[in-house]
Amino acid sequence: MKKIGVIIASTREGRVGRSIAEYVLTQVTQSPHIVYDLIDLKAENLPFNDEPMPAVRHQYQHAHTLKWSQKINSYDGFVIVTPEYNHGYPAPLKNALDMLYIEWNDKPVALVGYGYSASGTRSIEQLRQVLTYLQLKPVWREVNINLATVLKEGVFHGDDGLNEATKAVLADLEKALA
Amino acid sequence: MKKIGVIIASTREGRVGRSIAEYVLTQVTQSPHIVYDLIDLKAENLPFNDEPMPAVRHQYQHAHTLKWSQKINSYDGFVIVTPEYNHGYPAPLKNALDMLYIEWNDKPVALVGYGYSASGTRSIEQLRQVLTYLQLKPVWREVNINLATVLKEGVFHGDDGLNEATKAVLADLEKALA
């Protein structure tokens, strides 16, 4: 049995990220071999990384780092649902990534970005460089969501095009898991 | 009188960033018209941004955001001293940047990056995109510090080449202030 975590990168009040992550789960093909669940960085409530040693040394001194390490260790792959803030990735996501190293290594990751004019593409471009450095394996396709088209009175609504794009990326991810 | 803040982007225990920021201050040409001081993100101790409205709306609800806004408002320009973590910028810096908007607009900024193999250049490349989006004005030259050459038994030591590079970048910054 393989386990995939859908990481909600935004922790802001009023974030749309949680709705998008829940939507991603509705697009999963039921399989007896793969389970998906949510990893909500708001619920994880990690502090800014305060470990004295670089994560690559794997000598964690704080209980919250050890707990995060054990959690990420238990997954075989990830979907990251991320907003774009000022052309880049959000701080809570970068903090959660930088806190660990070997726990991310060699695991596939699919990217779902959202935003207005650029649909999260610039955040994902910067993020691909970081993920690659952590030896995560980003899949080729990605989901780019323009909030101007999917938010109706502040509530997220998918459509056929988005369903198709999301299923395609999840298929890439599941293939990379194998 | 113009005021420049030297932002220490790393908040990690054992960070070398504070020593590098203090070194930058030793390279400043004394002027009756410009004062420099340190803005230490570890001392600022900002939480992850939890404002319900985007910073661009300038409708802050939390006392810590208002305090940070007033502080950044009081400066005319910045030097950012930043490490490189996994090819990107550190989370505490991105958080501090994303928390505000108009307070950064139209102010020049000089960049001092540090790291090992890449001397902080990749962190700065990603950061230039973010700073430009915030309408900060990054100066053309930058300082790139290879920690393998400037740390002697864990303690930072500048040298003539670094002094020259730092003075050149500060001259660019002061010219952009005028």
Side-chain angles (χ1 to χ4, degrees):
Chain A
M1 179 71 85
K2 301 280 189 178
K3 197 172 154 200
I4 294 175
V6 180
I7 298 175
I8 307 173
S10 170
T11 62
R12 279 187 59 238
E13 205 185 309
R15 65 197 169 142
V16 69
R18 173 125 198 150
S19 304
I20 296 176
E22 287 168 351
Y23 159 78
V24 168
L25 292 183
T26 68
Q27 299 305 304
V28 169
T29 306
Q30 297 305 316
S31 157
H33 308 297
I34 304 179
V35 289
Y36 284 75
D37 65 14
L38 295 179
I39 302 173
D40 185 346
L41 294 187
K42 192 174 182 70
E44 296 298 327
N45 198 26
L46 295 166
F48 284 108
N49 186 15
D50 54 354
E51 288 288 337
M53 299 298 282
V56 69
R57 304 269 190 99
H58 203 256
Q59 296 169 14
Y60 307 134
Q61 297 193 5
H62 299 296
H64 53 254
T65 318
L66 273 169
K67 193 176 155 210
W68 182 235
S69 165
Q70 285 160 359
K71 179 154 195 164
I72 295 306
N73 243 343
S74 75
Y75 288 90
D76 302 290
F78 304 94
V79 179
I80 297 179
V81 177
T82 185
E84 176 175 303
Y85 296 157
N86 297 311
H87 206 125
Y89 37 77
L93 175 62
K94 184 60 160 44
N95 186 61
L97 288 166
D98 286 341
M99 205 174 270
L100 306 178
Y101 180 68
I102 200 169
E103 298 84 346
W104 302 116
N105 288 183
D106 298 320
K107 296 179 182 174
V109 57
L111 296 159
V112 178
Y114 59 95
Y116 285 91
S117 55
S119 302
T121 52
R122 297 172 297 197
S123 174
I124 285 182
E125 283 307 295
Q126 290 200 344
L127 198 52
R128 281 183 183 275
Q129 299 180 325
V130 172
L131 300 175
T132 303
Y133 205 88
L134 286 165
Q135 298 192 46
L136 278 151
K137 307 296 178 194
V139 302
W140 182 68
R141 284 186 282 197
E142 65 189 48
V143 181
N144 303 115
I145 300 177
N146 185 336
L147 293 180
T149 67
V150 298
L151 288 184
K152 320 276 185 218
E153 292 169 10
V155 179
F156 171 81
H157 291 278
D159 58 28
D160 287 350
L162 188 57
N163 293 352
E164 196 180 326
T166 305
K167 284 182 199 296
V169 168
L170 294 175
D172 283 354
L173 178 65
E174 296 192 7
K175 192 173 164 195
L177 265 186
Chain B
M1 180 70 86
K2 301 281 189 177
K3 196 171 153 199
I4 294 174
V6 180
I7 298 175
I8 307 172
S10 169
T11 62
R12 278 186 60 239
E13 205 185 309
R15 64 197 171 140
V16 70
R18 173 122 200 154
S19 304
I20 294 176
E22 288 168 350
Y23 159 78
V24 168
L25 293 184
T26 68
Q27 299 305 303
V28 168
T29 306
Q30 297 307 314
S31 157
H33 308 297
I34 304 177
V35 287
Y36 285 76
D37 65 12
L38 295 179
I39 302 173
D40 185 346
L41 294 186
K42 192 173 181 72
E44 296 298 329
N45 197 26
L46 295 165
F48 284 109
N49 186 15
D50 53 354
E51 288 289 335
M53 300 298 281
V56 69
R57 304 269 190 99
H58 203 256
Q59 295 169 14
Y60 306 133
Q61 297 192 6
H62 299 297
H64 53 255
T65 319
L66 273 169
K67 193 175 155 213
W68 181 234
S69 164
Q70 286 160 358
K71 179 153 194 163
I72 295 306
N73 244 342
S74 75
Y75 287 90
D76 302 290
F78 304 94
V79 179
I80 297 179
V81 177
T82 185
E84 177 174 303
Y85 296 158
N86 296 310
H87 205 123
Y89 37 78
L93 175 63
K94 185 59 162 41
N95 185 61
L97 289 166
D98 286 341
M99 205 174 269
L100 306 178
Y101 180 67
I102 200 169
E103 299 84 346
W104 301 116
N105 288 183
D106 297 319
K107 296 179 183 174
V109 57
L111 296 159
V112 178
Y114 59 94
Y116 284 92
S117 54
S119 302
T121 52
R122 298 172 298 198
S123 174
I124 286 182
E125 283 307 296
Q126 291 200 343
L127 197 52
R128 282 183 183 274
Q129 300 180 324
V130 172
L131 300 176
T132 303
Y133 204 88
L134 286 165
Q135 298 191 48
L136 279 151
K137 307 297 178 194
V139 302
W140 182 66
R141 285 185 280 197
E142 64 189 48
V143 180
N144 303 115
I145 300 177
N146 186 335
L147 293 180
T149 66
V150 298
L151 288 184
K152 319 277 183 217
E153 292 168 12
V155 179
F156 171 79
H157 292 276
D159 58 27
D160 287 350
L162 188 57
N163 293 351
E164 196 180 326
T166 305
K167 284 182 200 294
V169 168
L170 293 176
D172 283 356
L173 178 65
E174 296 192 8
K175 192 174 164 193
L177 266 186

